[in-house]
Amino acid sequence: ADWIEPASGRAHAVALMSAAAGVPRGYYRAFAHWLAGRGYATLTYDYRGIGGYAWRMAYAQTTTDASVA
């Protein structure tokens, strides 16, 4: 997940950016920074199995499978 705050450090609101299905959070980075420039703190994240989350899922599943076998 990425947390982006306004340069002033003081946000007047928070924007939670839920990505479209299959779209990694990085796609929304420019928009998140644009919002931060206008006083919004933003949180973007990847759904399970997408973007930065995908490698963690693969590793977790592999270690789970190995421990069961």
Side-chain angles (χ1 to χ4, degrees):
D2 294 319
W3 175 255
I4 302 168
E5 294 181 356
S8 68
R10 186 176 168 113
H12 61 262
V14 174
L16 174 62
M17 300 176 67
S18 300
V23 178
R25 72 182 185 273
Y27 180 82
Y28 299 97
R29 187 170 292 122
F31 183 54
H33 282 281
W34 182 84
L35 286 171
R38 282 144 187 84
Y40 292 86
T42 60
L43 177 65
T44 59
Y45 63 94
D46 288 326
Y47 289 107
R48 181 178 292 167
I50 303 296
Y53 195 91
W55 71 267
R56 281 180 259 163
M57 279 299 295
Y59 177 78
Q61 188 59 50
T62 301
T63 56
T64 301
D65 290 346
S67 68
V68 173

